[in-house]
Amino acid sequence: RDRAARAFRFAHFDPTKFETWLINNEIRRVKRKAALYKFLRQGSSRNLMQDLVPKQYQDLLYLQRFQNQTGMWLSYVPAAMAIAMSTLPFMEQLPFYFGFLWFSFFSRAAGQVAYQISNYDIDKRINRSRARPLATGAVTHQQAYTSLAVNSGLALAPLTLMHPTAFYCGLAAVPLIAISRTVDKYTNTGQVVYAAAKCMPVFMAMAACLNGYMDPMVTVPAYLGAVLWTLYYDTLFSLQDVDKD
């Protein structure tokens, strides 16, 4: 019966109808893709910010790169990885996931403000960054320093509710963050310092979950893996922007 059905379909096969079906199917696929892209663009954080945030505050959010949160995951994913490996029951892990998500969001915002303050003169001469609010004068240096202080305080807030060791690990990353952009200007090892600082949440999250204990057999390999992953990501990012830079 199956052979007879296949033979019947083959005998009545119409290449013209099949070609029409292929074309219509491709048109439907392109329309679905365009509709999805339009939906994602309309729901992007940039458009959301323009619709909901008063105009006088938008430049301050642009200073923090609120419209692009990709870099936040560079510190949150290592923290989430350490929380998952802490062996705590999942319901006990949840507060730490939310706490480090908060930390990653505001620490990244503070880092972006500090980066633009330190690169103020350079940003004005680079095509990709000359439109940033500090470079254009839309935000003053005083406002930038205030934003840096506020975001730093908000980033450290959840750490004060965790074990002190997590807080001290976070403080240990501050010198690395402070020198990373300077090292990047004058040497070829800036990415390594940057990655070492961004991945400190591995130790922070493990210490927070286990009341200050950090198993080196778990945290050290996880930290090195996260550093290499960050280097890989940052290298791709740099290559994509090589023409603009």
Side-chain angles (χ1 to χ4, degrees):
R1 189 183 298 111
D2 291 340
R3 287 197 300 270
R6 287 197 296 270
F8 177 81
R9 288 195 297 269
F10 181 78
H12 293 80
F13 177 73
D14 188 346
T16 304
K17 290 184 178 180
F18 180 68
E19 184 177 355
T20 303
W21 177 85
L22 283 178
I23 294 173
N24 291 333
N25 187 61
E26 182 66 17
I27 292 173
R28 286 192 295 268
R29 189 186 69 83
V30 171
K31 286 182 177 180
R32 286 195 300 267
K33 186 176 180 180
L36 177 62
Y37 180 74
K38 182 180 180 180
F39 171 77
L40 293 175
R41 291 292 296 173
Q42 289 176 343
S44 67
S45 55
R46 179 187 290 270
N47 291 329
L48 182 67
M49 184 173 66
Q50 291 175 347
D51 293 339
L52 300 180
V53 178
K55 191 172 181 61
Q56 62 268 31
Y57 300 116
Q58 289 182 10
D59 287 324
L60 285 173
L61 293 182
Y62 280 132
L63 180 70
Q64 302 167 23
R65 299 295 298 279
F66 177 83
Q67 76 279 9
N68 185 358
Q69 292 299 326
T70 306
M72 179 188 73
W73 304 108
L74 291 178
S75 59
Y76 180 68
V77 169
M81 182 170 59
I83 295 170
M85 292 189 297
S86 68
T87 69
L88 286 178
F90 178 72
M91 295 306 295
E92 295 182 22
Q93 293 178 4
L94 282 179
F96 296 106
Y97 283 121
F98 288 117
F100 278 97
L101 183 64
W102 175 285
F103 167 79
S104 301
F105 180 86
F106 287 104
S107 63
R108 193 258 180 175
Q112 287 296 323
V113 176
Y115 174 66
Q116 292 186 52
I117 291 174
S118 63
N119 281 8
Y120 167 70
D121 293 330
I122 298 176
D123 281 348
K124 292 189 294 185
R125 300 196 296 268
I126 298 178
N127 187 41
R128 177 167 59 90
S129 58
R130 65 178 56 176
R132 289 175 178 172
L134 196 60
T136 60
V139 173
T140 65
H141 275 76
Q142 183 178 0
Q143 290 174 319
Y145 281 113
T146 302
S147 176
L148 175 61
V150 170
N151 282 288
S152 299
L154 290 172
L156 293 176
L159 299 184
T160 61
L161 305 176
M162 301 178 189
H163 194 275
T165 305
F167 183 78
Y168 298 143
C169 289
L171 291 181
V174 173
L176 292 174
I177 296 172
I179 67 171
S180 63
R181 298 305 178 182
T182 303
V183 172
D184 194 32
K185 286 182 183 180
Y186 302 108
T187 72
N188 293 325
T189 59
Q191 286 177 310
V192 178
V193 178
Y194 176 74
K198 294 293 286 186
C199 296
M200 285 298 289
V202 169
F203 299 107
M204 297 165 61
M206 186 68 74
C209 291
L210 301 181
N211 294 321
Y213 177 69
M214 294 179 288
D215 186 354
M217 297 299 292
V218 176
T219 52
V220 173
Y223 176 73
L224 294 177
V227 168
L228 292 174
W229 171 67
T230 305
L231 286 173
Y232 181 74
Y233 164 87
D234 205 38
T235 301
L236 290 178
F237 181 76
S238 300
L239 288 172
Q240 288 173 349
D241 283 342
V242 66
D243 292 333
K244 296 178 182 178
D245 287 347

